[in-house]
Amino acid sequence: MLACRASTLRLAQDLAAVKEFRRQAHPDFSPIGWHLGHIAFTESLWLLERLQRSPCPYPQYQKLFAADGLPKAERENLPDLPTILAYMADIRDRTLAFLDQVPLGHQLRLWRWLLQHESQHVETATYLLTLHRWPQTHAQAPTEVFPSSPLPVLEAASTTEMVFVPGGEFVMGGDSIDTLDNERSPHSVEVEDFWIDRTPVTVEEYAKFIAAGGYHNSQWWHPEGWIWRHRYDITQPLYWQNDEPQAPVCGVSWYEADAYACFVGKRLPTEAQWERAARWHPGTQTLQSWPWGEDAVSDRHGNFDSRHGGVTPVGQFAAGRSPTGCDDLLGNVWEWTNTWFDCYPGFEAFPYREYSQVYFDRAHRVLRGGSWATRPWVLRPTFRNWYQPGVQQVFAGFRCALSA
């Protein structure tokens, strides 16, 4: 908890302007300052008020920082940063004093959930800080070249730079103390043989889609995606920069990922295929805890925890390679899948219904793998992220798949 809080405070100390702290970077997201206050509010609610049965120490924040308290647009009226940091510090002091006294026992899952809750909100705050600063520091014109003649009919997609993953039955999900409610319960699924990209799609590869007029040709797009692309005048990924061609493309929506996959004659993997590629060892016919085996995650295995300050070229972490031959499965960019976010068999909401269950609405697609800003406490191959298909603000990319 101390290590996680240190990473939270590093982000808070990086806030250079009041607008970065207080203003919405995007209408769909709360201000960074709200996320900081919400971290303390949630810790107080579940540990001090629910478990310790203490009265709420800051009743004036009960509406402001509750997840269902105020509309996002009304969350800009915040205390100043020093006041929120003092709030966070006081709640944490009370929490650690409680931790010294309590036998964890059956409570441990809740404590571990709160550790991950803070990690997730810090990653969201990192998205927002990037959104505040991106137009001034990285904006680049699209590299579009409109074809003068109709695009040729694609030949069969090539499996060059793809790896073969044998199909079969395997146990998907997990039930460790860290797994969240939507990762449970472990259950058997079966997949057919398939191919999957060795790495996430790179800037160099995606630039070919842009240059071919991919954003102006409806044949590649899901009908809803074509409407979305015109409604918001989308002509490139949100975090588009072409100065590092081997970096994974970042800031793409599901609609863009799906359109590119169609353009190259492939498709997005299902989340079962993604997890099989990340965990299955064809040689031993067993599941691994991590793509690389059973060793705990370290900076040898990938780009995460904001250690590099952004995406890195694909294939730089050989120690993180899976037995199936995939690189960059954990970290760098989240990866869209073709699966709607839904419950697993035996699902039970924890610690409250609104954490996952309300999003089982056939309106959110699953992402896997984590990004360069993902904290290590949520970095695992069973972790499921979810967003609506038109969201670009997440540090998301993708890799493609093919049925064998």
Side-chain angles (χ1 to χ4, degrees), residues 113 180-183 341-342 347 349-350 352-361 384 386:
W113 176 83
L180 304 180
D181 59 3
N182 62 72
E183 296 174 69
F341 185 57
D342 206 346
F347 171 83
F350 180 88
Y352 59 100
R353 180 180 177 273
E354 289 77 11
Y355 181 70
S356 296
Q357 191 169 347
V358 296
Y359 299 102
F360 301 152
D361 56 4
R384 308 170 77 202
W386 65 93

Side-chain angles (χ1 to χ4, degrees), residues 69-125:
L70 291 173
K72 292 182 174 65
E74 297 178 19
R75 294 175 179 176
E76 293 187 339
N77 186 23
L78 296 166
D80 60 22
L81 180 57
T83 300
I84 288 185
L85 292 178
Y87 170 49
M88 296 176 72
D90 183 50
I91 295 298
R92 177 50 58 90
D93 287 344
R94 296 168 188 250
T95 295
L96 294 181
F98 179 45
L99 179 59
D100 282 339
Q101 303 167 2
V102 66
L104 284 174
H106 69 279
Q107 299 178 3
L108 181 58
R109 186 183 176 196
L110 181 60
W111 288 76
R112 299 291 294 185
W113 176 83
L114 280 160
L115 180 67
Q116 297 182 74
H117 175 267
E118 178 165 344
S119 301
Q120 290 172 271
H121 278 276
V122 173
E123 180 164 357
T124 301

Side-chain angles (χ1 to χ4, degrees), residues 47-232:
L47 297 182
L48 304 181
E49 299 165 49
R50 298 284 179 92
L51 288 186
Q52 195 178 40
R53 300 188 182 280
S54 298
C56 176
Y58 291 85
Q60 68 270 34
Y61 293 153
Q62 284 185 306
K63 187 172 184 180
L64 175 60
F65 291 126
D68 58 354
L70 291 173
K72 292 182 174 65
E74 297 178 19
R75 294 175 179 176
E76 293 187 339
N77 186 23
L78 296 166
D80 60 22
L81 180 57
T83 300
I84 288 185
L85 292 178
Y87 170 49
M88 296 176 72
D90 183 50
I91 295 298
R92 177 50 58 90
D93 287 344
R94 296 168 188 250
T95 295
L96 294 181
F98 179 45
L99 179 59
D100 282 339
Q101 303 167 2
V102 66
L104 284 174
H106 69 279
Q107 299 178 3
L108 181 58
R109 186 183 176 196
L110 181 60
W111 288 76
R112 299 291 294 185
W113 176 83
L114 280 160
L115 180 67
Q116 297 182 74
H117 175 267
E118 178 165 344
S119 301
Q120 290 172 271
H121 278 276
V122 173
E123 180 164 357
T124 301
T126 307
Y127 302 157
L128 301 175
L129 188 58
T130 302
L131 285 171
H132 277 301
R133 297 178 178 180
W134 191 266
Q136 291 77 34
T137 57
H138 293 87
Q140 297 183 26
T143 55
E144 287 190 290
V145 178
F146 297 103
S148 57
S149 58
L151 293 174
V153 176
L154 283 176
E155 299 178 359
S158 170
T159 55
T160 304
E161 299 305 321
M162 302 185 83
V163 297
F164 177 77
V165 181
E169 186 175 335
F170 75 104
V171 176
M172 190 175 175
D175 58 3
S176 74
I177 197 69
D178 284 315
T179 50
L180 304 180
D181 59 3
N182 62 72
E183 296 174 69
R184 300 184 178 206
S185 291
H187 59 287
S188 293
V189 298
E190 186 158 351
V191 297
E192 302 293 330
D193 296 349
F194 65 97
W195 294 84
I196 193 167
D197 288 346
R198 187 182 304 277
T199 69
V201 171
T202 64
V203 167
E204 181 178 52
E205 292 167 329
Y206 197 87
K208 297 175 183 177
F209 174 65
I210 298 177
Y215 280 87
H216 300 274
N217 192 325
S218 63
Q219 75 179 96
W220 314 123
W221 291 79
H222 186 286
E224 292 178 4
W226 188 241
I227 294 171
W228 168 86
R229 175 251 161 302
H230 277 280
R231 177 179 297 159
Y232 298 105

Side-chain angles (χ1 to χ4, degrees), residues 21 98 155 209 212 233 272 285 303 311-312 345 367 373 382:
F21 162 74
F98 179 45
E155 299 178 359
F209 174 65
D233 194 25
Q285 297 286 293
N303 173 18
V311 293
T312 51
L367 301 98
T382 59

Side-chain angles (χ1 to χ4, degrees), residues 279-288 323:
R279 299 188 64 200
W280 183 252
H281 195 305
T284 61
Q285 297 286 293
T286 58
L287 284 175
Q288 301 185 151

Side-chain angles (χ1 to χ4, degrees), residues 329-380:
L329 285 161
L330 295 186
N332 229 356
V333 288
W334 288 99
E335 299 181 19
W336 288 106
T337 73
N338 203 36
T339 301
W340 292 110
F341 185 57
D342 206 346
C343 63
Y344 286 166
F347 171 83
E348 294 182 3
F350 180 88
Y352 59 100
R353 180 180 177 273
E354 289 77 11
Y355 181 70
S356 296
Q357 191 169 347
V358 296
Y359 299 102
F360 301 152
D361 56 4
R362 302 288 292 182
H364 295 76
R365 295 282 186 176
V366 174
L367 301 98
R368 291 299 197 102
S371 78
W372 62 265
T374 301
R375 270 42 185 177
W377 301 280
V378 296
L379 197 73
R380 56 182 175 271

